[in-house]
Amino acid sequence: MALITKIREKSGIAAAAIAFSLVLFLVGSDIFQGRSTLFGGNSQKIGEIAGETILAPDFQKKFEEASANYTAQAGRGPGEQESPLLRDQVWNQMILDIAYKKEFDALGLSVSPEELIDMVQGNNIHPSVRQQFTNPQTGQFDKNFVIQFLKNLKTMPVQQQQAWANFEKSLGQDRLRSKYENLLRLSTYTTNIEAQKDYTAQTSKVDVRYLYVPFYSIADSSIKVTDAQLEEYLSSHKDQFKGENTRSIEYVTFPVIPSKADTASFYQQIKKLAKDLAVSKNDSAFAVLNSDVRTPYYSTLSELPEAVKTSIATFQVGGIYGPFKNGGYYSIYKYGGVKKDSLYTVKASHILISPANKTDSAKAEARKRAQTILDQIKGGANFEVMARTNSMDGSAQTGGDLGYFKNNGSMVKPFEQAVFGFSGSGLIPTLVETDFGFHIIKVTEPKTNTKYKLAAINKGIVPSQSTMDEAFRKADEFANANGTKAAFDASLKKDKSLIMLRANRISENSQGFNNLQAAREIVRWAFDKETSVGDASKKVFEVDNQYIVAVLTGKTDKDNVKIDDYRDELTAKVRADLKAEQIIKKLDGISGNLEQIAQKYGAGALVETANDITLAQGVLNSAGADPTALGKAFGLKAGQKSKPFKGEAGIFVMETIKSIPAPALADLSTYKNTARLMAAQRTSFYINEAIKEKAKIVDNRAKFY
């Protein structure tokens, strides 16, 4: 468009002619194929957000801007894997710009120019700014770098000025979103009744005996399920079986695997590279020029591949070692000795207990809870398990693991001082307090500042052109001979060397399926309106070093849910209901204690005991954590026996032997604070889902990309 505008300014009528020619050039193929939007063809509407229509040219322009920013940062344009991610980023940004902005405006939220200045060069620097302007010498944020950059901004290229403007805009949007989320997060609260419920669920205990007849004790083949029964179940459970646009395919792969000749050639190449690396005067430059993947010249022990890590103690300076297998590559190394870095590296895990608020009483409660956990770990409790069940940050999901980090200010000061002041590895015996709360820390790998000098050449075995041509020939021959599902299946029966794979319920926006990460072309073929169920692909698709021929085996429509869309799931549900009716009918006619009932029922009936179970974490031996059975156990009085009832995976007769109610607790603040913190942590997710639902987003990107 900038080119067209410039031409128009220069030459009037000529500009109009050239502009029209450019438009024809860009959309001509669509016009002649009847797909143009200029003359009443398909819409250029790529989606809708909160009532605003998103047109394909507008979206594409934003994508190109994002691509330019990516290119400026990465030094190369986005590839097949990066482009879909960038499109998602652009789409999510548009949701923020449109749907979120309406919510911000409704509440009168804004970020003032003064606030933005404070985030960039004031007293409350935004984390993104800190990251961008870290002094490489000290590893610390340097505000002078920011001020110097801003002074020189007007003399920089226009692209760089625009990039900074976009960056500042993103800072403002991030602050707006934080304000909005914090506002709603502060509205979360937990009542005494909710806290009491949590306390009771975790503390009340029962001892139970129960008869359990699992559904698997009756053979599936003995239960006949009709389509009419499936239709009835689907009709009465529509909320559980939502419609969506999906496709199912079967496909045959023809992998491009290096031949014996390719492997022999590769090893000759590695041998020659090893000899040349040994005599190279500039080994680091030689390694970079000859590697498929670059690795750092200096590496800490933690950064080395496992095979090298276990062998490096035997390396001699100037020696050549390898090849070592590292993922999909083979590596050879020239060892140049060690050096001491100015920074130390350590690996640690932690458990964070945060106070509910900034009051002294809340801090005291948090400290008490943290000390209790620390004492339990000292007494033999598993650190990782305690982290998963108690830590109040994201590392809880990985057992508290924080990975490797350096003493460069990446961690808050008290935490960093405690970890890097600790000798060796193991549990730090005292709590560490920071602004985030109280930390229980375990050093899993001791600090070190030793770096190893290794010039590494990393090469992958690449199939030769003749190997690739032969694989394609086989795939193309198969595709040409098998245009339908029937022919597809017949060929597979004849040729046992071919392996057929399935991918079910592929979504419209999927970039791949199963273990294929970049199979967008196959997905688009499957969703093409010209592709019918039973059609095989005439084209051979190339994905991840293999050729693929596919056949479409199924379609689902979000506006028309059919039993075939969920046949397996529906059949399992209906079959379970029929088994439940059969088992309960048989049990209803039997009396006596649990052992007598089981004996009279016959094969399949189990009698088991579970002691000291809680409602929150109860497990019933063979039946597992069945919520219906657990609820029934806590609902019965001691000595009371239930009638047969259906659980998740079988039929129960429950008998409560002993019930131990939760002791009276005057102060529920711990449970109240924990529940509130957990609710606050989920706020961001719930906000996002609610805004997207309210915006009634229509996403048609799959029709364009």
Side-chain angles (χ1 to χ4, degrees):
M1 290 303 294
L3 174 62
I4 294 173
T5 303
K6 190 172 183 180
I7 294 172
R8 185 182 296 116
E9 290 172 352
K10 295 286 185 183
S11 55
I13 296 173
I18 294 171
F20 186 66
S21 298
L22 285 172
V23 172
L24 286 179
F25 174 76
L26 292 170
V27 302
S29 61
D30 284 348
I31 291 174
F32 295 119
Q33 293 177 38
R35 296 199 300 264
S36 173
T37 61
L38 296 180
F39 306 110
N42 289 344
S43 173
Q44 284 267 301
K45 180 179 176 180
I46 203 168
E48 186 176 312
I49 301 171
E52 294 192 23
T53 297
I54 312 299
L55 297 177
D58 298 331
F59 181 83
Q60 182 62 22
K61 182 180 178 182
K62 290 182 179 294
F63 171 71
E64 288 168 0
E65 290 173 357
S67 297
N69 290 335
Y70 178 91
T71 302
Q73 292 178 13
R76 62 175 181 83
E80 286 186 8
Q81 292 189 1
E82 294 90 359
S83 290
L85 295 175
L86 280 179
R87 290 192 187 97
D88 285 343
Q89 288 178 15
V90 171
W91 183 253
N92 290 331
Q93 184 62 47
M94 295 183 86
I95 293 174
L96 183 64
D97 290 343
I98 299 171
Y100 269 81
K101 187 175 183 302
K102 290 189 176 184
E103 302 302 318
F104 300 156
D105 291 346
L107 292 174
L109 295 178
S110 65
V111 175
S112 67
E114 294 77 16
E115 193 174 357
L116 189 58
I117 292 171
D118 186 48
M119 292 162 62
V120 173
Q121 52 182 308
N123 297 320
N124 298 286
I125 305 296
H126 191 280
S128 295
V129 178
R130 288 183 175 277
Q131 184 180 8
Q132 293 293 330
F133 293 93
T134 295
N135 188 323
Q137 303 298 323
T138 64
Q140 301 291 323
F141 167 71
D142 193 333
K143 192 188 294 185
N144 292 323
F145 280 15
V146 183
I147 295 170
Q148 191 62 38
F149 173 83
L150 294 175
K151 284 181 179 178
N152 297 328
L153 184 61
K154 290 184 179 179
T155 64
M156 295 178 185
V158 175
Q159 266 189 326
Q160 202 163 346
Q161 293 183 42
Q162 184 59 49
W164 177 257
N166 292 336
F167 177 66
E168 281 197 330
K169 179 183 176 183
S170 71
L171 297 180
Q173 289 178 328
D174 184 65
R175 177 59 61 86
L176 261 180
R177 186 168 181 168
S178 294
K179 287 182 178 183
Y180 184 74
E181 290 184 358
N182 288 337
L183 190 65
L184 294 184
R185 190 175 287 112
L186 289 171
S187 70
T188 61
Y189 65 93
T190 302
T191 65
N192 286 335
I193 293 175
E194 290 172 312
Q196 180 66 50
K197 182 180 177 182
D198 286 348
Y199 168 66
T200 302
Q202 295 177 44
T203 312
S204 296
K205 295 179 181 180
V206 294
D207 293 347
V208 296
R209 296 179 70 250
Y210 55 92
L211 179 143
Y212 175 53
V213 184
F215 292 143
Y216 65 73
S217 65
I218 299 176
D220 288 350
S221 58
S222 68
I223 305 295
K224 304 302 179 186
V225 178
T226 67
D227 280 4
Q229 290 171 317
L230 297 180
E231 287 282 9
E232 183 181 354
Y233 192 93
L234 177 61
S235 178
S236 58
H237 296 82
K238 287 183 178 178
D239 57 324
Q240 296 178 25
F241 300 94
K242 300 291 185 182
E244 57 179 323
N245 293 328
T246 71
R247 298 292 184 266
S248 296
I249 65 171
E250 293 176 357
Y251 59 99
V252 175
T253 68
F254 297 82
V256 184
I257 302 172
S259 64
K260 289 183 179 179
D262 296 336
T263 303
S265 174
F266 171 79
Y267 276 110
Q268 289 301 317
Q269 181 189 12
I270 281 285
K271 285 180 181 179
K272 184 178 186 310
L273 286 170
K275 290 178 181 178
D276 293 342
L277 179 61
V279 298
S280 174
K281 293 182 179 179
N282 191 338
D283 51 14
S284 62
F286 182 83
V288 168
L289 288 171
N290 289 281
S291 286
D292 295 338
V293 177
R294 293 176 61 177
T295 52
Y297 193 36
Y298 288 99
S299 300
T300 62
L301 191 65
S302 65
E303 294 168 333
L304 296 176
E306 199 60 38
V308 181
K309 191 186 297 185
T310 56
S311 305
I312 200 165
T314 64
F315 287 9
Q316 299 293 320
V317 174
I320 301 294
Y321 299 92
F324 295 96
K325 184 88 165 58
N326 184 20
Y329 296 90
Y330 288 87
S331 305
I332 54 174
Y333 296 89
K334 183 176 181 180
Y335 181 57
V338 299
K339 77 166 188 174
K340 297 298 182 180
D341 193 13
S342 59
L343 296 174
Y344 282 84
T345 300
V346 74
K347 186 179 183 185
S349 300
H350 83 145
I351 300 170
L352 172 64
I353 303 301
S354 301
N357 52 57
K358 295 183 178 181
T359 63
D360 291 341
S361 60
K363 288 181 67 176
E365 181 63 37
R367 179 188 290 275
K368 181 180 177 182
R369 184 179 172 199
Q371 187 63 52
T372 300
I373 295 168
L374 177 60
D375 291 341
Q376 288 176 325
I377 294 170
K378 287 180 178 179
N382 183 279
F383 187 97
E384 289 71 25
V385 172
M386 296 299 284
R388 287 191 180 94
T389 54
N390 293 282
S391 191
M392 295 180 176
D393 76 339
S395 70
Q397 298 174 3
T398 57
D401 184 21
L402 298 171
Y404 294 94
F405 54 91
K406 296 181 178 181
N407 57 331
N408 58 0
S410 58
M411 297 293 182
V412 290
K413 194 170 182 179
F415 187 96
E416 189 175 271
Q417 288 175 336
V419 172
F420 287 96
F422 187 73
S423 298
S425 59
L427 182 70
I428 294 179
T430 58
L431 298 177
V432 176
E433 183 180 359
T434 71
D435 290 342
F436 295 100
F438 297 93
H439 304 259
I440 302 152
I441 305 171
K442 178 183 177 182
V443 177
T444 50
E445 286 190 24
K447 65 181 180 182
T448 177
N449 67 339
T450 300
K451 283 202 165 187
Y452 297 88
K453 183 179 178 182
L454 290 164
I457 296 178
N458 308 294
K459 302 290 288 186
I461 303 179
V462 180
S464 63
Q465 188 61 50
S466 60
T467 301
M468 295 174 65
D469 291 345
E470 177 60 18
F472 179 80
R473 184 193 66 75
K474 290 180 180 178
D476 190 48
E477 186 178 272
F478 183 89
N480 288 328
N482 302 289
T484 64
K485 177 75 166 65
F488 206 85
D489 292 342
S491 288
L492 288 171
K493 286 182 180 179
K494 290 179 184 177
D495 190 345
K496 300 299 183 183
S497 67
L498 298 175
I499 299 175
M500 187 272 289
L501 301 171
R502 291 185 177 88
N504 294 323
R505 301 181 71 82
I506 303 168
S507 65
E508 199 168 9
N509 286 313
S510 293
Q511 297 301 318
F513 45 84
N514 294 347
N515 64 335
L516 302 177
Q517 302 300 314
R520 180 65 189 160
E521 193 176 4
I522 301 177
V523 176
R524 294 199 69 187
W525 165 81
F527 278 90
D528 192 295
K529 63 181 180 181
E530 301 298 327
T531 305
S532 301
V533 173
D535 287 351
S537 59
K538 296 176 182 178
K539 178 181 177 180
V540 174
F541 301 102
E542 183 178 357
V543 183
D544 299 341
N545 295 321
Q546 58 191 311
Y547 296 109
I548 292 176
V549 181
V551 58
L552 186 66
T553 57
K555 292 183 177 182
T556 67
D557 186 341
K558 68 178 181 180
D559 298 321
N560 182 25
V561 182
K562 302 183 292 295
I563 59 172
D564 280 337
D565 298 349
Y566 292 98
R567 180 171 288 276
D568 291 343
E569 297 95 321
L570 289 168
T571 300
K573 295 285 188 183
V574 172
R575 186 184 288 127
D577 284 349
L578 294 173
K579 287 182 180 182
E581 290 175 10
Q582 181 177 316
I583 296 168
I584 289 174
K585 184 177 180 181
K586 187 174 179 180
L587 287 172
D588 277 341
I590 303 173
S591 60
N593 60 36
L594 295 181
E595 283 78 7
Q596 291 170 334
I597 295 172
Q599 187 177 11
K600 292 175 184 177
Y601 179 88
L606 307 172
V607 176
E608 297 180 333
T609 300
N611 296 324
D612 289 335
I613 61 172
T614 65
L615 192 60
Q617 297 180 328
V619 176
L620 298 172
N621 302 336
S622 302
D626 190 300
T628 305
L630 288 171
K632 183 72 73 172
F634 279 87
L636 293 171
K637 295 179 180 178
Q640 190 176 6
K641 184 172 66 179
S642 74
K643 291 183 178 180
F645 63 91
K646 179 176 178 285
E648 287 194 335
I651 301 301
F652 292 86
V653 176
M654 189 72 62
E655 183 177 8
T656 298
I657 305 303
K658 182 173 69 174
S659 179
I660 306 171
L665 186 66
D667 184 7
L668 292 166
S669 59
T670 298
Y671 294 90
K672 203 170 183 178
N673 292 336
T674 300
R676 187 168 68 248
L677 282 171
M678 292 179 67
Q681 288 172 0
R682 296 190 293 265
T683 299
S684 181
F685 171 78
Y686 288 140
I687 289 171
N688 192 49
E689 292 301 302
I691 288 178
K692 288 197 294 185
E693 183 178 348
K694 182 182 177 183
K696 296 181 179 178
I697 295 169
V698 178
D699 185 356
N700 295 326
R701 286 179 294 155
K703 292 180 172 61
F704 294 80
Y705 301 102

